[in-house]
Each structure stands twice: as C-alpha cells, then as structure tokens.
Amino acid sequence: MKEKEWYKNIVENNSENPPDHIWEGIQDELDIDGVWDRIESDFDAEQKKKWFFFARVAASVLLVIAGGGLLLFFSHLLQIPEQVADRTHDDNTVTQEVIVDADPNSAEDMMQTGADVTIPADVSDHAIQESLQDREVPVFREEYADRRELYPKDNGISIETEIIAYQNDISSLPAHMEAIKEAFIRPDYEQHTIAANRFSGAHETHPESLAFVPITEEHDVETGNVPFAWFGLTGQLANTWMLNDKTFEAFRRDEFTATEPSFGSNLGMRAGVNIDARLSLQTEFMWHSRSNQHYREYIHGNYVQNSLTLDYYMLSMLLKYSPVKSSPEHWLLAGGYGGLMKGAVQNIDGHTREMTADYHRTDYGLLLGYEYRFGLGRHFSFNPGVFIKTGLNNIFSGNEHTPYYLNRTRNASFNLSFSIEYHIF
Amino acid sequence: MTTELYSEEDILKGCRQGRRHFQEILYRRHAKKMYGICMSYAGDRAFAQDMLQEAFVKVFKSLDDFKGKGSLEGWVRKIVIRTAIDLLRQRAGKENFFDDAAIDHLSDNQNIVYNNALPELGLKELMGFISRLPEGARLVFNLFAMEGYSHKEIARELNITEGTSKSQFNRARNILKSWLGEQYR
C-alpha cells in the first residue's frame, strides 16, 4: 500500500530536533542512581586524561631542550685549541688571545701571523704605528672565530690572521710593542691601514697585525657579516595528533578502539629578516601541511583501520633568537600559525568519505622550536630543527549525528624540520 | 561500513559503563528519528517529548538486555513503541479507547476520497491531521502503517479483537484521506 510508504517516509525523515531539555531530563533521571559515584569516576578520568596529555607535552619539551643542550655541549667540545677566544672589555674593544704558550719577549711570537712572515727585529714604536695607520687590516669577527675568517676591505689581499697577545698580560709586552699594546687597549682605535711593504715577504697572503675597532652587533651588520635577509625551502616530518576525547580514551587498555601513531609531512618555503645579529623575524608558508590521526577500531565484529586526514595551507610567523652569543648557530623559535583547510577525508579499510563539512575551514595555534644552522659557504645554510605545534581552537564543526561539543578536537604535532636557506648580505 | 565518530560497539560499551559522553552520542544519533515517531503516536509535541524522554531512560537502563541480535536502532525503536503504547493507554484510561463512533463524527465528508497523488508534506503538516485522530485509532494506524504489525499482532499487543483493529485502521485511513482531499484538491 503506497499510503503506508508515504506516511512512513514523512515520519521517519523528520527534520526537527528534540529540544535540549529532553536530554537534560534524561540525565537527571539517570543521575538519580549512583550520582556521586559517577561524578567521582568522571572527575578522576578527566584528571588522568589531562595529566597524560600534559605529561607527553612536557616530555617533548624536555626532549627539545635536552637536544639543544647536547648540541651546545658538543659544539664546545669540537672547538680547535688554537681557536681564538673572545674577551670583550667593557669598552667593547675585543681583544683576541691564543691559548698557547707564547714567549712575551719574542717579537715573532707576539706578531706571529703566518709561516712566511718575517718581522723586522728593529721595528720601532713609530714604525709600527705608522704601519697601522697605512695599512687596511682585517678585523677579527668573533662570530666567525671557528673559521678564522676575516672580512677585509677590498684591498685585494686575501688574508687570514690570527691575533696573538700574551695571554692575560698585555702590559708585559716588550717595549717596541707598545704601539700594539695601544691598539689592544684603546677603545676608540679606528681601523687603520698598513703599508703592504712594511714586512718583508709579506705582500700577498700574510696575516698582519690587527687594528681593533669596537666590535658591536651594529658594526657587524654594517660591515656585512650578518645576513640582512634570507629565503629558502623547508620540509617537515611530523608526528601528528588530533586531540579529542576519542583519541585520549583510545589509550585505555579496556577500550575497543586503539589510537595508533600518525605521521604527516609538510612542505613549504620560508623567508626572514634579521633585526640584529641574534634576533630575527621569519615567516613560513606551507603549501602542503597534513594532520593525520589513525585508530584501530572494532566495527561490526571486525577490527578495521580508521584514518582521518586533514590537509591545510599554513602560514606561520616566528621570532628567532640566538641565546648563546658565542654560538650563533643555535636558534630558538616561537610564534604562531594560521591554517586554511584544503580538505578532510576519512578512510576505513580503503573506503573513503569526504569529511570537509564536519570540520572548520580555519585553524590557528602556537609554534615553539629549536634550529641549528650549518653554514654552507657564505650564502647558504642547512637548518635542521625540532618544533612543537599546538592548535588553540576546536576544528570539529559537528554533523547531523554528533554536535561539535561532543567531539572537540585540536591539532597538535611534533615536527622534525629540514631547511635550506640562501642568505642575502 | 559506518563512518560515524564511534562504532556501535564503542558506544554500547561506553553506555554500559555509564559514561555520559557515550550516552549522549547514542541519544543524539537516534533522537531525531525517534522524536518523529513519538510525534506520530502522541499527536502533540509536549506529549511526544515526554514519551521520548521516558523511552530513552528505559533504553539506557536496559542496555544490558541488548544482545546484539538485530540493529541497535531497531532495538531502541521497539522500546520507544512500547513506551508510546503504555503512555497512551495510561492517558486514555477509558474503556472506549477504540471507539468507532469517536472517529465517525470527525468528518461530515467521508465520502470525499482523496485520489490524487499523495502530497509532499512535512511532519509538521501531517501532525496537523494526525493529532485530530482519536488516540486509539492513531495508535492502531501507526502500528499498522509505520511498524508493519499485522492486525493479529496489534490485537494481541493491545488486547483487542482483530476486527476492532481492522475497523480502527480503516476508519483512520479514510478520515485522513478525506482531510487530505479537503485540503489539497
């Protein structure tokens, strides 16, 4: 009878939701039995769930800090013994000293700059001072101490110079070294040039005595030793999480559903500018940023793999800070991100379903990380790093069966990143 | 293959453990459909809401009785129907619950039979007609048209004769058709 079908169709396709007070009434009636026990057990479960989440976050943060600390520690161990160490006086004049035994009476030792340098024994104070005035000399840059690289003005001479001073006791210099002593201690000593022929045999590639200028970060920027800006490509491997009740509950052993590790990859580009030698601003655009969550579920008598995949465009802004002045390779990063969802898909044992309508199009959150900068020549660098990303908003918008508040979900991930940058001076 | 947030097994397990999160998921999953069914039996929203609330309380309290034979929705629906019958009988509370005369006087134009194509109505519009039926007739009509009960089963369920069941259904169907004919000709 078609009237039956007609009638049944109308009733069963009802589009009207029952009012909220019905569910409240149901809860009240259920709560009459064992209300206190339920409150206690729910509270304990909620506390355990929160503790477990924060414990994992804390463990990841400790891992990042430990990794950064190990890198710092080993970078100090790898320093070459003859490497020039810095000592910055209050007046910002940087003196350089070599941690080797030096004979204070040996002019050669005092002025040792290279194997092929012959230092006249009868050089006078005046001569030295004159030399210092005539010759443009490189200035040692503390940031490149490990490479002993100097940045001379374009005098056509490529040189590498080590500065030698009697360790801790410049006043014990021989008399004819007074001018050099002056150079060490005068804070306002300008950069000078020395006539190339002051030292026999020392024309082309000899390390020279140095003039000292106040070494400040601004000076470094002015002389082009800190890149003005950079850009590059970045890729990330991420351990991703969709944090919600289902994910947390699936860690319980007595649940049918189990949460499984999930990974995604991100690809994009980055660009940044230096505010000063230790502080930078960086922006990253990821044209591919994926958030995954895998479950193993028991459905209709079978265990199946249930995967949720959300793809985003992601834009982030980060402040970068180098905490160790003597080790500019280490960088801490902090900032925020915004994401625009490209699509959401659920896959259960090969059967896929579009889920875009169940999730909000936008996401935003915080980023915290660490990077190490491996220099590759003057212009390039390779930057591996670790990041923690956590969303701040609920990305689940709800559907006809599950309102948004029953499945509040946040994105989170722990990322390994690898970037190649080109630096512009 | 379901693509819901939780599988039925997870929901049942959580509900049996008394976890409110899963109870609400079960309720939200079935509430809309069951609310429509309750409205078709109750005839008005307030009574339908009472019916729905009482039915789901029974669902949660008797979940251990569900053994997995058949679908969970079918089992919930049976509880809703049973609750509707009980409440209607309580409210009626009179011996002439299935009185033919109560239907006959509803329309002076029962000879107008609606023969056009059945109109596309929403439940709200249909409720306008259903609510005018006497409760006994409405109950028999729903059990036959919606649930597919035979008159024999209805008679056993409601403790009436098979003839009463047939009579109530036919009268209810004819009066509905005459109302539709008046409204949509």
Side-chain angles (χ1 to χ4, degrees), chain A residues 23 26 30-31 33 38 41-42 249 252 254-256 406, chain B residues 6-30 56-66 72 75-76:
Chain A
W23 172 240
I26 293 170
L30 293 175
D31 282 343
D33 304 322
R38 187 172 296 115
S41 65
D42 282 352
E249 280 158 6
R252 291 163 56 136
D254 58 347
E255 289 291 330
F256 285 133
L406 282 181
Chain B
Y6 291 98
S7 65
E8 217 168 75
E9 288 87 349
D10 278 329
I11 293 172
L12 278 170
K13 190 165 186 284
C15 289
R16 282 170 179 151
Q17 291 169 347
R19 289 156 70 181
R20 190 53 44 86
H21 178 76
F22 287 100
Q23 288 172 339
E24 185 168 1
I25 289 186
L26 176 66
Y27 169 76
R28 297 286 175 201
R29 191 173 281 195
H30 300 290
F56 266 95
V57 170
K58 286 182 184 175
V59 163
F60 291 125
K61 286 186 174 179
S62 57
L63 263 178
D64 289 337
D65 298 337
F66 177 65
L72 181 60
W75 183 78
V76 169

Side-chain angles (χ1 to χ4, degrees), chain A residues 315-337:
Chain A
L315 182 68
S316 60
M317 292 289 287
L318 296 156
L319 267 179
K320 296 177 70 166
Y321 176 66
S322 180
V324 182
K325 195 176 179 183
S326 58
S327 298
E329 304 87 8
H330 304 283
W331 292 86
L332 298 176
L333 299 90
Y337 76 89

Side-chain angles (χ1 to χ4, degrees), chain B residues 9-10 28 39 64 90 110 119 138 142 167 170-171 181:
Chain B
E9 288 87 349
D10 278 329
R28 297 286 175 201
M39 281 202 282
D64 289 337
Q90 278 176 27
Q110 287 192 50
R138 193 190 314 135
N142 279 306
S167 168
N170 287 327
R171 280 175 158 80

Side-chain angles (χ1 to χ4, degrees), chain A residues 3 6-7 12 14 16-17 21 31 246 254-257 298 300-301 346 348 353 401 405-406, chain B residues 2-7 9-10 13 18-21 24 28 32 45 49 77 119 130 142 177:
Chain A
E3 293 100 349
W6 169 83
Y7 182 78
E12 291 185 348
N14 165 47
E16 186 178 336
N17 275 311
H21 71 80
D31 282 343
K246 179 172 179 172
D254 58 347
E255 289 291 330
F256 285 133
T257 299
Y298 188 72
H300 297 325
Q346 183 178 31
I348 299 181
R353 184 171 86 102
H401 296 297
Y405 58 86
L406 282 181
Chain B
T2 180
T3 54
E4 298 298 338
L5 177 62
Y6 291 98
S7 65
E9 288 87 349
D10 278 329
K13 190 165 186 284
R19 289 156 70 181
R20 190 53 44 86
H21 178 76
E24 185 168 1
R28 297 286 175 201
K32 199 193 283 188
R45 277 190 176 74
Q49 289 162 14
R77 187 176 181 139
I130 293 291
N142 279 306
K177 278 186 170 181

